[in-house]
């Protein structure tokens, strides 16, 4: 067994696609202050729909974690989604986005269906927690990058960047990552390879999700 944690191996191996998700042009445009408001609003509406589907997925990971020692970490994450849904509603008001009339786009539907497939009881805890970590880590790294020294984030988007780029969320993602590495250390090669495939799928879905902000190919 290798001493290198699984997540580190994956991040090295899939660096290019991972950077594609965490340094996406949409994210860079927020960091550089050149983002256009229609892209941002499109993202906001789509992400609200995504987060609503993310809740049952996160709850399914919580159920699987009940037999493990790390249940509190997941519970904290699930609990914070209540606040997140509220936050989206507030932001939608601020940016005049009507959440009830948002039509989920293809990339979003596909991502939500993928999440739903992971809620099955046949999906091992190690695989499910890998997805949870990867989903959160992409947002954390993306928005933390926006906030790095020298940013020109538009004032009205500062709060969005801080929502996922703050240190507390960073610590939560690190805890999830440690859980993934611990789980993978004791899992079979079959489960480990399933987890890697799921990691890569999440990263690919995230890239497609950011791409939606450009507003091409609706439906
Ligand atoms: C698409 N990925 C997407 N939306 C989010 N809100 C997160 C990750 C983080 O919770």
């Amino acid at each position: 067994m290798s001493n290198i944690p699984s997540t580190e191996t994956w991040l090295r191996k899939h660096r290019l696609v991972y950077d594609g998700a965490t340094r996406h042009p949409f994210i860079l445009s927020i960091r550089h202050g050149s983002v256009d408001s229609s892209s941002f609003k499109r993202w906001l509406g789509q992400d609200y729909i995504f987060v609503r589907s993310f809740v049952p997925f996160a709850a399914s990971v919580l159920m699987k974690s009940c037999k493990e020692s790390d249940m509190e970490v997941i519970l904290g994450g699930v609990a914070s989604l209540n606040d997140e849904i509220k936050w989206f509603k507030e932001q939608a008001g601020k940016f005049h986005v009507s959440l009830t009339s948002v039509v989920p786009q293809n990339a979003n539907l596909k991502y939500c269906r993928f999440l739903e497939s992971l809620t099955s009881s046949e999906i091992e805890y190690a695989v499910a927690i890998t997805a949870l970590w990867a989903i959160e880590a992409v947002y954390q790294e993306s928005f933390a990058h926006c906030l790095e020294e020298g940013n020109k984030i538009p004032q009205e988007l500062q709060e969005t960047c801080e929502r996922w780029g703050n240190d507390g969320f960073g610590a939560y993602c690190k805890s999830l990552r440690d859980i993934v590495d611990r789980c993978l250390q004791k899992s079979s090669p079959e489960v480990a390879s399933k987890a890697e495939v799921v990691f890569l799928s999440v990263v690919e879905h995230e890239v497609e999700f950011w791409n939606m902000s450009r507003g091409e190919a609706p439906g």
Side-chain angles (χ1 to χ4, degrees):
M1 195 187 291
S2 121
N3 291 321
I4 304 170
S6 298
T7 57
E8 197 180 322
T9 307
W10 301 337
L11 289 169
R12 283 187 200 170
K13 196 167 148 192
H14 307 297
R15 192 78 240 171
L16 274 179
V17 53
Y18 190 74
D19 287 351
T22 58
R23 300 289 186 270
H24 189 276
F26 175 66
I27 278 299
L28 299 180
S29 77
I30 293 176
R31 172 168 166 78
H32 299 141
S34 60
V35 61
D36 65 88
S37 84
S38 64
S39 296
F40 180 78
K41 288 166 145 188
R42 216 175 286 121
W43 166 79
L44 189 73
Q46 293 298 321
D47 212 38
Y48 172 72
I49 295 175
F50 174 84
V51 169
R52 294 193 73 94
S53 304
F54 183 69
V55 172
F57 164 70
S60 78
V61 183
L62 178 65
M63 281 178 63
K64 285 169 188 165
S65 76
C66 288
K67 292 166 245 128
E68 318 281 334
S69 58
D70 26 67
M71 193 252 239
E72 278 94 340
V73 174
I74 324 288
L75 181 58
V78 170
S80 73
L81 291 173
N82 189 26
D83 187 49
E84 190 151 311
I85 300 255
K86 260 190 247 149
W87 180 85
F88 270 99
K89 290 181 177 169
E90 275 165 28
Q91 297 297 307
K94 183 168 132 188
F95 289 97
H96 308 290
V97 173
S98 163
L99 292 177
T100 49
S101 47
V102 176
V103 178
Q105 293 192 28
N106 249 328
N108 200 358
L109 291 170
K110 280 192 201 158
Y111 200 175
C112 292
R113 259 183 245 128
F114 170 73
L115 285 191
E116 204 190 330
S117 75
L118 294 176
T119 62
S120 156
S121 59
E122 281 161 37
I123 301 291
E124 294 84 356
Y125 176 58
V127 175
I129 189 85
T130 293
L132 184 67
W133 162 67
I135 291 165
E136 301 290 42
V138 167
Y139 261 46
Q140 194 274 327
E141 285 200 37
S142 298
F143 287 108
H145 177 64
C146 286
L147 289 168
E148 277 166 22
E149 201 61 28
N151 76 73
K152 297 198 180 71
I153 302 169
Q155 175 57 39
E156 66 275 19
L157 305 189
Q158 183 73 25
E159 222 188 280
T160 300
C161 297
E162 281 167 8
R163 164 133 222 119
W164 289 280
N166 76 77
D167 293 344
F169 191 67
Y172 168 62
C173 291
K174 178 69 174 86
S175 306
L176 291 178
R177 183 174 173 169
D178 290 342
I179 297 172
V180 170
D181 286 326
R182 215 173 343 100
C183 280
L184 268 288
Q185 222 169 27
K186 49 184 189 185
S187 59
S188 68
E190 288 74 25
V191 168
S193 94
K194 275 196 231 173
E196 182 173 0
V197 170
V198 159
F199 165 74
L200 204 50
S201 302
V202 165
V203 177
E204 285 163 353
H205 279 296
E206 289 289 337
V207 172
E208 290 302 318
F209 201 92
W210 294 134
N211 285 344
M212 266 189 311
S213 65
R214 289 185 193 136
E216 295 145 7

